[in-house]
Amino acid sequence: MQVAGITVRTDVGAIGLSTILDDPGGAVIALDFDGTLAPIVADPSAAWIDPGAPAALIRLAGQVNRVAIITGRPPSTAIALGDTPAGPDLIDVPNLLILGHYGLERWEGGEVVAPPHPAGLELVRNELPALLASLGPEADGVKIEDKGRAVAVHTRNCADPDAVLDELREPVAQLAERAGLVVEPGRKVLELRGPGMDKGRALRELLTETSARSVMFIGDDLGDLAAFAAVAEADIPGVRVCSGSAEVTELAENADLVVDGPPGVVALLETLGKSITSRDQ
């Protein structure tokens, strides 16, 4: 079905999108970063934001209740990767909220509020290299990404990334358990991080904080399923949007609306902003 030229797959999603368009001042637009605003690339440090994303978010930020990014990245990394070659950057989005490390770190107006780092990360940093070395040559290409508050193991650059990821699941889970951490699986990655927070909880707290009357969440990976569940369980209209890929199908199966990767996300944001403007005129 079509709502303002946007194809929505479910009645619930159509109601949510219509509510956002009719009452944008009550809407919270929340998004993941990697795979949603920025393409997935072999080197996580080179995952630059789609050049059109900041401008689209700037427009929406002036129309809706709140624009927020909920990411596994530290907020400072999202800001750094939010620079564009020309035009506005992510940091230029007014009243932007970034909830990093799945909501443990809160960036707002250049200030970060965060709890202490999990103590078990030192154990992970000390033992993870030997764990990877025990796999032998098949682990060639594995990349360890230290996020400060979490440590991620990427297999995307391996000859057989899925096989290496499968072989790592059990030993990484055992290491996380000894360190008092949890494992967050994703697209060719296993992340070890502190327990007690996920994107669903972060989004629920944000909706309460803002007294939201509607919500849209856009994500691409398994860690975004918790936010999808928060949208579905909220007592306000909502839309779950999947930034589609061939690597993860679970999100698309649970989405009200599917777009084609970060360029599709930007196109959706632009259409949403233009539709809100046209209704105001």
Side-chain angles (χ1 to χ4, degrees), residues 48-54 80-90 92:
W48 299 101
I49 196 168
D50 186 287
L81 295 175
D83 285 344
T84 59
D89 300 326
L90 186 60
D92 297 321

Side-chain angles (χ1 to χ4, degrees), residues 15-241:
I15 293 170
L17 184 55
S18 295
T19 303
I20 292 171
L21 293 171
D22 291 340
D23 178 25
V28 165
I29 309 296
L31 313 92
D32 173 45
F33 187 83
D34 291 281
T36 301
L37 290 173
I40 296 294
V41 293
D43 180 0
S45 65
W48 299 101
I49 196 168
D50 186 287
L57 291 173
I58 287 170
R59 182 175 194 169
L60 276 176
Q63 298 170 315
V64 302
N65 182 316
R66 201 70 191 267
V67 169
I69 294 172
I70 307 178
T71 174
R73 297 267 198 178
S76 58
T77 302
I79 288 293
L81 295 175
D83 285 344
T84 59
D89 300 326
L90 186 60
I91 200 169
D92 297 321
V93 178
N95 203 29
L96 175 67
L97 174 65
I98 302 179
L99 300 175
H101 287 296
Y102 300 87
L104 284 173
E105 287 191 356
R106 180 186 180 103
W107 180 97
E108 197 169 14
E111 299 292 330
V112 176
V113 177
H117 288 206
L121 285 175
E122 282 308 307
L123 175 66
V124 169
R125 293 186 180 104
N126 290 335
E127 296 194 10
L128 195 53
L131 189 160
L132 296 178
S134 70
L135 297 184
E138 68 178 298
D140 289 348
V142 172
K143 180 179 177 61
I144 298 176
E145 180 189 8
D146 195 327
K147 298 183 176 183
R149 198 173 292 279
V151 175
V153 182
H154 297 266
T155 66
R156 184 170 297 276
N157 292 329
C158 296
D160 190 342
D162 291 326
V164 176
L165 194 69
D166 286 340
E167 189 163 352
L168 281 171
R169 292 186 194 279
E170 184 59 29
V172 166
Q174 292 175 357
L175 176 58
E177 183 176 4
R178 288 193 291 112
L181 304 175
V182 296
V183 178
E184 187 76 44
R187 295 169 66 173
K188 318 297 184 191
V189 62
L190 298 172
E191 181 172 322
L192 298 90
R193 63 180 182 85
M197 179 60 78
D198 60 32
K199 291 185 181 181
R201 177 178 171 183
L203 182 57
R204 286 192 294 271
E205 291 178 355
L206 176 60
L207 297 180
T208 299
E209 172 190 328
T210 57
S211 301
R213 297 187 293 273
S214 63
V215 56
M216 174 183 285
F217 181 83
I218 312 175
D220 78 302
D221 207 348
L222 296 176
D224 299 313
L225 285 171
F228 269 28
V231 173
E233 296 163 4
D235 59 359
I236 57 176
V239 189
R240 300 163 297 176
V241 181

